[in-house]
Amino acid sequence: MNAGLAARFSTHLLDSGWLEEASSVVAAVSGGLDSTTLLHLLRFGGAAGSLPVHAAHLDHRMRPESGADAAWLAEVCEEWGVAFHLRAAPGPVRTEAEGRELRYAFLAGVARELGEGTVVMTAHTADDQAETVLFRIARGSGPRGLAGIRPGRSPSLVRPLLPFRRRELEAYAARHDIPYREDPSNRDPRWTRNRIRHEILPALEVAVPGASAALVSVAETSLGETAALDALLDERIEALAAPAGTDTGLRFGREALAALPDPVLTVLLRRAAARLGGRPGRAATADLLRFVRESPSGKGITLAGGVTVSHDHGCVQVRPAGAEGTAPAGDSPGWGRRLRRVVYTAGDIRRRVGELGREIGDAYGARDELLVLGMLKGSFIFVADLVREIPLPIHVDFLVAASYGEHMTSSGDVQLFYNPDTAISGRNVLLVEDIIDSGNTLRRVVPLLQQGDPASLEICTLLHKRLVRLRKDARWVGFEAPGEFLVGYGLDFGEDFRHLPYIGSL
């Protein structure tokens, strides 16, 4: 079976049609066995035909040796006659979500650089699929989540190794003497996926032989059933919406929606929002269902992705981000500015703050005398919510600093008022920021706190733009923030917008 991997892989690519109109192909490579084998199959296995083959590597900077790994990979690509694209993360990647976001942004940039017709391929295998499905089961995902890793993230980014097991790639690599490097971080138990891969899934295979293959089957079944459900929902949406599928979104009669049973209305609303770019999670979907059934005329809510849902005299309007009339509630024209989009909904923030509280609680003990220092004014809502999620006895105090005023860029002149009532000597101090942008505030505040001789000093920030490298960076980060001016949930522009329960972009 392994001797025919190249032929079966080529047949799979041909059947998929992914390369029919391709002008070049890019393999996302980490240097590990899976991705290096993918690159070899494309370059020497005949799968890419006459298409130019490129390799793209993001150095996550998680280890001191990562730069040497990137240099080694560049040498391999030169030896194989493959163009090599390299980018290093602005700072060490701290979470799986952060690494994934940076990686896909980098790959999209490589595709844009190479031009139309570029197809990017990642080396996800059937084993990765099994791990993903098991993880999502543990998190309580529904049928859509259990579809796991999709064969294609977009027409220009595909996962051609999903039908193949890792052991097949290992045999092919041994047969062709393919070099690769084992990343030690792939065995670090701090990463959830590593614990699933090396501990939980092997134990499950012992208890239930064939469990991995069964999990892959769950993904295939869920993907097919989800596609069928979406087709049926689209038919129902087209029948109920008037007009349907316009640039301004979808419009429904509220009575027609209210006549649907809750389970049908729930999935229909999720599908309608998803068609317009929304990403309603479980809590947001429950809020949406209540809104459609109970809200009075003149009200509206905003979902992740910027999709807005409003009720106007018996008409429920679902609009995409940026459509006229989609400014979130509370964005008063009297402020002179309108939000471009909602970046993080109240539900997104609530869930992430809960996760941060639990992570911080796991890092300290009840006897650690944790002192939480919030940076006013921007962090006051975040601090209030966060300390209620930390399952420890804590003390709270505040610092005051500012560098924006009424401008949308940091002035660099940090005005600092430092006089906390609580002594920090010998204390474990957690400095809580609303957002790390220019880094000027932390450069001033951290040395001052260190002069107070705390037992330890860590930083938690709700948002991090990763624009600068800091000598002392945040240990806990809520969200990797886009390069936009963000307001809401305590963040302001000229003192406006602080009270919004979500975070939006001006």
Side-chain angles (χ1 to χ4, degrees), residues 168-286:
E168 298 181 71
L169 274 63
E170 290 172 347
Y172 178 90
R175 180 183 180 89
H176 294 277
D177 198 23
I178 297 174
Y180 64 91
R181 287 195 171 187
E182 186 68 39
D183 185 346
S185 65
N186 287 338
R187 291 191 173 274
D188 188 338
R190 291 177 299 175
W191 300 93
T192 302
R193 185 171 290 275
N194 288 343
R195 298 177 71 179
I196 292 174
R197 174 176 298 176
H198 300 298
E199 301 173 17
I200 299 173
L201 196 53
L204 183 60
E205 276 286 352
V206 171
V208 185
S212 295
L215 290 168
V216 172
S217 179
V218 167
E220 294 171 351
T221 301
S222 298
L223 181 62
E225 292 185 351
T226 298
L229 176 60
D230 286 346
L232 294 172
L233 289 171
D234 286 340
E235 290 181 5
R236 181 64 68 91
I237 288 171
E238 299 303 327
L240 291 174
T246 67
D247 290 339
T248 56
L250 298 161
R251 180 176 298 160
F252 302 94
R254 186 177 182 181
E255 288 187 6
L257 291 181
L260 298 174
D262 276 2
V264 176
L265 181 55
T266 297
V267 294
L268 185 142
L269 291 172
R270 285 177 62 93
R271 178 60 179 169
R275 282 176 47 169
L276 299 175
R279 303 185 303 275
R282 183 175 301 172
T285 300

Side-chain angles (χ1 to χ4, degrees), residues 308-464:
T308 59
V309 184
S310 60
H311 174 213
D312 183 17
H313 296 95
C315 175
V316 175
Q317 184 86 20
V318 186
R319 297 185 179 96
E324 185 177 354
T326 61
D331 179 16
S332 167
W335 286 343
R337 288 183 177 271
R338 298 179 67 84
L339 297 186
R340 294 194 298 124
R341 68 186 183 101
V342 171
V343 181
Y344 305 108
T345 68
D348 295 332
I349 297 169
R350 182 170 59 252
R351 286 186 292 275
R352 184 60 185 132
V353 172
E355 293 171 352
L356 288 173
R358 291 189 291 274
E359 292 170 10
I360 293 168
D362 289 342
Y364 295 95
R367 297 183 179 181
D368 284 331
E369 297 186 351
L370 181 61
L371 170 63
V372 175
L373 284 180
M375 293 293 299
L376 291 176
K377 300 179 187 175
S379 72
F380 76 103
I381 297 178
F382 177 38
V383 170
D385 288 346
L386 179 65
V387 295
R388 289 179 291 179
E389 298 291 344
I390 300 175
L392 297 172
I394 58 176
H395 288 180
V396 181
D397 213 323
F398 291 91
L399 308 178
V400 182
S403 64
Y404 277 90
E406 296 188 0
H407 302 281
M408 294 182 69
T409 57
S410 174
S411 65
D413 181 18
V414 179
Q415 300 179 32
L416 177 64
F417 306 90
Y418 170 61
N419 187 24
D421 294 331
T422 308
I424 66 173
S425 177
R427 302 289 300 275
N428 292 285
V429 177
L430 177 64
L431 180 63
V432 179
E433 264 276 37
D434 53 345
I435 184 168
I436 297 178
D437 192 336
S438 66
N440 292 327
T441 302
L442 287 181
R443 290 192 183 96
R444 285 286 309 276
V445 171
V446 168
L448 286 175
L449 293 178
Q450 290 173 332
Q451 289 174 15
D453 194 28
S456 68
L457 174 61
E458 299 292 349
I459 300 169
C460 174
T461 183
L462 177 63
L463 303 166
H464 201 320

